[in-house]
Every structure is written in C-alpha cells, then in structure tokens.
Amino acid sequence: QVQLMESGGGLVQAGGSLRLSCVGSGSMSGVNAMAWYRQDPGKQREVVAAITGGGTTTYADSVKGRFFISRDNTKDTVYLQMNSLKPEDTAVYYCSFRTWSRDYWGEGTLVTVSS
C-alpha cells in the first residue's frame, strides 16, 4: 500500500510563491507518473501538473508558466513550485502517484491566495 503526505500549503498574498511537497511511503516500486490536482468547493477536481518517470511534464493552461512540477526519486517525493499566485489558485491541492493497477492519493493541503 502506498501512502502519500502533502505539505507546504498555507496562506499567501497574490503575486507570492509557495512550494508544495508530497512524500510517498510503502510499496513504491510500481510508481511511475506523479501529478498534482486541485479542487475548490463545489467544483470538480482538476489536474494541475503531471510528471512521468522520465521527467516529462505537462501543465494545465491556467498555470502554465507559473507552476513547475519536479520529482526526486531518491526521496519518493514530488514537488509543485507555485509562482505569481492568483486568488483563483485557491484550492485544496492533492498529489497522486500512478501505478499500473491504480492511483494513490494524498489527503490534500489547502492553499489560500488573498487579494
């Protein structure tokens, strides 16, 4: 069983930066892609950024150029560097690790961006 723990969320002013981390533990040998999702109350969860085992990245258009995803396989960790934050970035952010059989999810970390 894979267990994920997010950290780094908090309150930040518009234009500021924040770095999220997600550390995996358990049976990690089958993990390939990693991703960050976010969800506002009353809205559907949406993918923000993803990274393959080889380091290829993809981003939602709304965050492209501002957010950057990276991973450290020696630490079983994925990061999300968020720059030039906007109030509309406010959401609960979730990390996800993908295996052949299923996806694993963290419990989420809240990011609040004030005007």
Side-chain angles (χ1 to χ4, degrees), residues 67-85:
F67 289 12
F68 301 92
I69 188 172
S70 62
R71 62 191 289 170
D72 185 345
N73 291 332
T74 67
K75 300 179 180 179
D76 295 324
T77 301
V78 62
Y79 304 94
L80 185 66
Q81 178 67 46
M82 304 183 293
N83 301 319
S84 301
L85 283 161

Side-chain angles (χ1 to χ4, degrees), residues 18-100:
L18 211 58
R19 189 195 194 203
L20 306 183
S21 300
C22 178
V23 181
S25 62
S27 183
M28 299 292 294
S29 61
V31 172
N32 41 73
M34 301 178 178
W36 286 95
Y37 291 73
R38 67 185 182 187
Q39 186 172 23
D40 278 334
K43 296 182 178 180
Q44 296 179 343
R45 186 176 297 186
E46 62 179 358
V47 64
V48 176
I51 184 168
T52 69
T56 301
T57 60
T58 57
Y59 298 93
D61 189 65
S62 59
V63 307
K64 195 176 182 69
R66 299 188 298 120
F67 289 12
F68 301 92
I69 188 172
S70 62
R71 62 191 289 170
D72 185 345
N73 291 332
T74 67
K75 300 179 180 179
D76 295 324
T77 301
V78 62
Y79 304 94
L80 185 66
Q81 178 67 46
M82 304 183 293
N83 301 319
S84 301
L85 283 161
K86 305 174 181 179
E88 52 262 45
D89 294 319
T90 295
V92 177
Y93 284 72
Y94 301 87
C95 65
S96 178
F97 287 15
R98 173 157 290 181
T99 69
W100 177 256

